[in-house]
Amino acid sequence: MSLVGALPFLKPRLSPSVSPGRQRRHTLPASEFRPLNTQDAISVFEIEKEAFISVSGDCPLHLDEVRHFLMLCPELSMGWFEEGRLVAFIIGSQWDQDRLTLDALTLHKPKGSTVHIHVLAVHRTFRQQGKGPILMWRYLQYLRCLPYVRRAVLMCEDFLVPFYQKSGFKVQGRCSITVASLTFTEMQYPVRGHALMRRNSENTQHHMHTLAVFTHAAKFGSFAKLLVQ
């Protein structure tokens, strides 16, 4: 979706009145997806806090837990940035049991074949624009690049079940985890064995390239860009 000028090979002449800060801003892509890192933790938490406190009274992840997962498994996170600003994100970790337990809220199980999606949140000024479903779709497609992932799971309040069903998640039943008076529905998405796995070789190459970029960015903290297409 990034806009390309009619003459992309000509450098535009910048007016002397344009400040260096504004010049740098225009070098940022219109939209990008990349793995998150600990430097993004505060922005993540600010969005999460605003999105969840007013509805549920608490956040799925507190700031120290956000940092915890972004240190242990940054490759299982995804942030959507517009002109350098975080507008939506997902944070996940690996899990090694059939159902979620209380330990799943704080532990990362590197040998697990399940990705536990802890939180999906969108900045308040970018809601009602379809960004949540788009980000979830891209995240699930990215998980298909990871050979150790067999499924994705999450827990949500009942009113959010239809939202996740539209992304392909199926209800597993009531979750054993409760937070204060809140109860949750557990849902899962089969990453392996899904019809979309029957992709052609071109898509396979694209997804493997995506995996290589995300792995490099997560490991070395680079800001490799994945432009919205």
Side-chain angles (χ1 to χ4, degrees):
M1 294 183 189
S2 59
L3 298 179
V4 180
L7 298 175
F9 300 106
L10 296 181
K11 294 183 179 180
R13 294 182 179 273
L14 296 175
S15 169
S17 62
V18 178
S19 66
R22 288 184 62 83
Q23 293 179 25
R24 285 195 298 272
R25 179 177 177 82
H26 286 294
T27 67
L28 295 171
S31 291
E32 60 167 326
F33 295 93
R34 66 164 172 83
L36 299 167
N37 57 59
T38 53
Q39 293 180 341
D40 300 309
I42 292 178
S43 296
V44 165
F45 186 63
E46 288 301 317
I47 294 174
E48 182 192 19
K49 185 169 60 174
E50 189 280 328
F52 286 91
I53 290 289
S54 61
V55 177
S56 304
D58 200 2
C59 294
L61 296 175
H62 294 162
L63 181 57
D64 59 334
E65 295 167 330
V66 170
R67 290 193 174 110
H68 171 72
F69 286 118
L70 293 185
M71 287 181 60
L72 290 178
C73 47
E75 73 281 358
L76 296 179
S77 69
M78 182 177 285
W80 185 345
F81 294 79
E82 293 198 348
E83 296 186 341
R85 179 186 185 186
L86 181 65
V87 301
F89 69 88
I90 290 174
I91 294 179
S93 65
Q94 282 171 256
W95 183 239
D96 61 356
Q97 298 181 31
D98 289 337
R99 300 295 295 268
L100 295 174
T101 68
L102 200 58
D103 285 343
L105 300 183
T106 56
L107 298 182
H108 169 58
K109 298 285 191 174
K111 296 183 179 180
S113 61
T114 295
V115 170
H116 172 209
I117 299 174
H118 292 271
V119 57
L120 159 65
V122 179
H123 192 284
R124 63 181 179 274
T125 59
F126 294 90
R127 291 176 197 151
Q128 307 301 319
Q129 299 178 23
K131 281 183 164 50
I134 292 172
L135 180 61
M136 179 61 79
W137 182 86
R138 292 190 69 108
Y139 184 76
L140 294 173
Q141 297 309 303
Y142 165 67
L143 292 184
R144 296 181 187 285
C145 302
L146 305 179
Y148 55 84
V149 177
R150 294 293 176 267
R151 66 185 185 124
V153 299
L154 57 83
M155 63 184 215
C156 65
E157 294 181 70
D158 290 348
F159 74 93
L160 287 171
V161 168
F163 172 84
Y164 289 111
Q165 285 176 325
K166 291 178 181 178
S167 293
F169 283 83
K170 305 296 183 184
V171 172
Q172 276 196 290
R174 300 305 299 174
C175 185
S176 63
I177 302 170
T178 59
V179 178
S181 61
L182 296 177
T183 60
F184 305 94
T185 296
E186 192 167 328
M187 306 186 74
Q188 71 167 345
Y189 179 94
V191 173
R192 291 291 178 267
H194 194 276
L196 288 179
M197 284 299 294
R198 297 193 295 268
R199 56 187 180 267
N200 58 34
S201 58
E202 180 181 352
N203 285 335
T204 300
Q205 292 174 2
H206 171 74
H207 287 160
M208 291 309 295
H209 173 72
T210 300
L211 172 61
V213 172
F214 259 72
T215 301
H216 176 82
K219 183 176 181 181
F220 298 104
S222 70
F223 287 81
K225 271 70 173 179
L226 291 177
L227 299 184
V228 181
Q229 298 178 347

